[in-house]
């Protein structure tokens, strides 16, 4: 075990020399708890960061009004490093593959720590094409994958249906991606909560109002309930809300915006089980649709992609689009109970890659901006943040995702 | 006020001469409450019957594990005597029109009795046609309506859109039915519950197990919780469950089967209000779809029609069909929040008309089998049952719906 690090800069929230000029927590009347690391955000990324930080011996707290919430309550949990590959995002492929390679061990370690599984299922994925346009797009993806050294297999429509008999007769071809698996984000979140608790992580159920700053360093966070948490290390893992934390100096850019995704949950009832043996996905009329079958019988159908700010309304149009496209791909879904409709907010960045590690404000680290890949990237994010929190540096493979890359490039949040 | 009638045949549940041979309630150890009338079923029909019975001075009880539930929790509440007219169902038209004519006064009387409205909205209905087949079908309906002496107006597609600008550009024509209004079944149920309570109706929150019979007469009901309710008059108003009550002698046929209907509830948000000014409906590819806009902002979209026994599962296919058809008729629904999906069970009879009044078992009356028309027919049903309970006879206009018409014709429940 790495020895526990001391909090490098114990803070004084009432220090009159505090240069931040930010409003103070309610003052001396409330004692200010002190930690080595305080993580703002109790979603998958915040929790995995806190768990790994505690594992490195850091006294760690998580701030979240409802830990275990966030985008993972909605997400399907595809571990889709290869099928989510896009032109221009090749750097992200490396991080995704690194995390995918860790997933089996991570799932086992977490299950042991929490005493409960995370629904990891090494089932693979089939990406299908329904018409000539889809097939051309999928052929492009196949070519890109090969240029990136990935081995995926092109299948004819007949071969696709042999693999997954519920596929529509019209499927014209597909890509078999045996390494893109799945986990259940709700089980993952629950397990991370338990693992954090067992590792001694403290939970503060409140909103973080602002990062506190003294002598040019982050010194913790002030909460909406008036309390303050002092910490030498502050991690901002607030998903799409990350940019809204108060007290961030201008040189710290957190260019994260919400991208709404509506998701359905169906149930694979007995006469239709197993229904699908792997994740099946397609591009239908330009929109992505996927069906993720769990061993529990849950079938997740996602997802819309909408720029709507913080709106999490489930709309008639979103549900219609998902059912229409999923029905075109797998007509037999009509018989399955529809048990849940929900919308979540992906934390997207300008380059669709996460923001990891130290910022221009000493003591402040980011673990946010995971966009579509929070579940996939959870293991590597936990490991990267454990390194950055204990050494102040990013490991080499995480350098392309340095938290300050947009600040360096002069990026500004559009008004 | 009609004077209170005495319970004509006070019953003794342990009478050894009881010819029914049915199992007894738990015996003398539990006191048996006694009423003039006991109504089995606390849905809209049971409640309106109980309210009207109490209004005639009968000491009345309602038996239902959850009064106020039933099909009305799901129903859209169209008062569609004219637009629901079908070939061969002309007798039902008369009853529907009689009830529709009572609705405004009924709503006002009930609102005063309950201190709360029932969402009655005299908004009219537009039945639209999307293609040539739909138009031909709607022309048929128009001709049938005219043969029945009904005045409805044929509109061109352009005229339809002038009336309802949200209609799809492809609408080819429609029927304007200014007399088919709406009420909110959930408000109606709530108001009936309150009105019943204020009128002194007793509620027994349990399942009725069987009708008890002595000396060839119904003497009340035995409940699943072991209690018994004695009554000279027993009303079976159990919706699609009516045929399952124990103790019914073979000469009493209750040919009611469940017809599943899935229904969506959307919300008309401010930028889109009022969205529609009246009920809009259509036949799309042979399936019926309707959109019922409430003043509250609720937009009800229904309904599938499925023979699935007692299954109330919401399915992907049902929701898909409704959204697809509603979207074809009114494309702007895509922007509206989808707030609820639910399935209910219509109590259907072989001729789609209700079963009203006395049966072959003296003392047992029926008020069930209202199929698609329970809300429409609530006022007339309450009035008809008030007459049949106090006189033992049906009023003339209800004779075609006599509860014993299938028993007389030798109808038997299919195995």
């Amino acid at each position: 075990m790495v020895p526990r690090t001391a909090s490098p800069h114990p803070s004084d929230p009432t220090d009159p020399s505090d240069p931040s000029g930010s409003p103070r927590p309610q003052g001396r009347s409330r004692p200010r708890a002190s930690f080595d690391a305080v993580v703002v955000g109790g979603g998958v990324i915040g929790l995995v960061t806190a768990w790994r930080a505690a594992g490195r011996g850091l006294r760690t707290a998580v701030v979240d009004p409802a830990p275990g919430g966030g985008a993972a309550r909605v997400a399907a949990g595809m571990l889709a490093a290869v099928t989510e590959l896009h032109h221009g995002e090749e750097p992200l492929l490396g991080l995704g593959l690194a995390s995918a390679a860790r997933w089996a061990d991570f799932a086992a370690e977490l299950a042991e720590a929490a005493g409960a599984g995370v629904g990891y299922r090494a089932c693979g994925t089939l990406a299908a094409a329904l018409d000539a346009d889809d097939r051309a797009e999928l052929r492009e993806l196949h070519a890109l994958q090969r240029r990136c050294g990935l081995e995926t297999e092109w299948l004819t429509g007949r071969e696709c249906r042999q693999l997954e008999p519920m596929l529509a007769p019209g499927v014209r071809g597909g890509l078999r991606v045996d390494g893109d698996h799945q986990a259940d984000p709700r089980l993952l979140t629950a397990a991370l909560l338990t693992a954090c608790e067992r590792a001694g992580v403290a939970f503060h159920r409140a909103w973080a109002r602002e990062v506190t700053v003294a002598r040019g360093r982050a010194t913790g966070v002030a909460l909406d309930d008036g309390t303050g948490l002092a910490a030498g290390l502050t991690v901002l893992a607030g998903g799409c809300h990350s940019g809204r934390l108060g007290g961030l100096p201008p040189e710290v850019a957190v260019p994260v915006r919400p991208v709404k995704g509506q998701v359905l949950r169906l149930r694979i009832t007995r006469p239709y089980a197993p229904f699908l043996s792997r994740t099946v996905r397609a591009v239908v009329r330009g929109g992505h649709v996927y069906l993720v079958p769990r061993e529990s019988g849950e079938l997740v159908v996602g997802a819309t992609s909408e720029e709507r700010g913080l709106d999490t309304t489930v709309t008639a149009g979103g549900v219609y689009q998902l059912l229409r496209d999923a029905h075109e791909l797998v007509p037999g879904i009509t018989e399955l109970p529809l048990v849940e409709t929900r919308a979540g907010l992906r934390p997207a960045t300008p380059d669709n890659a996460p923001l990891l590690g130290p910022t221009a404000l000493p003591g402040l680290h980011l673990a946010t901006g995971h966009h579509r890949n929070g579940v996939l990237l959870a293991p590597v994010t936990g490991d990267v943040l454990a390194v950055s929190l204990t050494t102040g540096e990013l490991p080499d493979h995480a350098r392309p995702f340095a938290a300050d890359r947009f600040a360096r490039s002069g990026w500004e949040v559009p008004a």
Side-chain angles (χ1 to χ4, degrees), chain A residues 51 106-117 195 198:
Chain A
W51 182 44
F106 172 80
E109 181 188 356
L110 179 55
E112 182 164 334
R198 291 184 177 178

Side-chain angles (χ1 to χ4, degrees), chain A residues 390-410:
Chain A
T390 50
T391 69
E393 306 256 322
L394 280 177
D396 282 349
H397 65 282
R399 294 252 159 92
F401 313 102
D404 60 351
R405 68 187 183 277
F406 294 104
R408 288 193 315 253
S409 69

